[in-house]
Amino acid sequence: MNANQPLRILGLDPGLRRTGWGVVAVDGARLTHVAHGVIAPKDSLAFSERLLILFEAIAEVIALHAPHEAAVEETFMNNNAQSALKLGHARACCLIAPARAGLSVAEYAATVVKKAVVGTGAADKAQVGFMIRRLLPTAGDTTSDAADALAVAIAHAHARRARAYLGAA
C-alpha cells in the first residue's frame, strides 16, 4: 500500500438472506464513503448455491473496490440452533473471501460496532442508520444491512487508530 494513499476498509454484516457490505477510506482521522450494498441470494436456491453466490459476490466487491483490510461483525447467539448454524456458514464466507484475497480480517461484536458509531452498545438499527448518514453523508440513504456494514468498517477504523495511538505511547 502506498503511504500517501488512504486506507480502504471493507466492512461486512453477515447474513444468509442479506449480507451488507460497505467500503470506507481512512486518511488520518478523516473517513469517507467509497461504496456500499447488499448481497441477497434468492431463497429458492439450494443452500450451497446461496453460499457460493455470497462468497463470489464478496470476492467481486474486493476486486472492484480494492480494500486493504476487512472487518466482520460477530454473530450474536440465536436460540434457534439451525439458524445460528446457517448464519455461521454466511460468516465463514465473509471471513474466507477477504482472507483469500490476502486481507487481514478483524471481527467485532455488535455492541462494539454500535458503541463506535452511536456511543452506546444498545443502539437500535435506526440510530445506527442515522449516525451513518451523519458520519458518511455521501453514502445517502442506506438499507439497515449496508448501514451496519459501514458501521463495522468505521468501528475497525477507530480500533486501528486507538491501537496506533496506544502503540505510540
Side-chain angles (χ1 to χ4, degrees), residues 7 22 28-29 39 92 101 106 130 135 165:
L7 176 84
I39 303 162
F130 176 85
L135 295 169
Y165 178 76

Side-chain angles (χ1 to χ4, degrees), residues 85-168:
L85 186 60
K86 286 183 177 179
L87 180 57
H89 286 80
R91 277 189 86 259
C93 290
C94 291
L95 293 167
I96 295 169
R100 186 168 191 237
L103 307 181
S104 63
V105 183
E107 297 178 75
Y108 297 94
T111 54
V112 171
V113 171
K114 291 172 182 178
K115 188 167 185 165
V117 295
V118 179
T120 175
D124 62 26
K125 289 197 176 283
Q127 291 171 304
V128 173
F130 176 85
M131 287 306 297
I132 291 301
R133 286 190 296 280
R134 296 302 169 269
L135 295 169
L136 303 171
T138 60
D141 282 336
T142 60
T143 65
S144 62
D145 300 294
D148 287 351
L150 288 165
V152 173
I154 291 169
H156 182 62
H158 291 334
R160 288 182 93 261
R161 195 165 36 248
R163 282 192 303 271
Y165 178 76
L166 291 174

Side-chain angles (χ1 to χ4, degrees), residues 16-17 41-43 45-54:
L16 188 57
R17 288 198 168 116
K42 291 181 181 162
D43 287 342
L45 295 173
F47 183 62
S48 59
E49 289 179 56
R50 292 166 69 191
L51 291 173
L52 180 60
I53 288 168
L54 180 57

Side-chain angles (χ1 to χ4, degrees), residues 3-7 25-32 161:
N4 297 329
Q5 176 185 17
L7 176 84
V26 182
D27 193 1
R30 184 177 178 191
L31 286 170
T32 54
R161 195 165 36 248

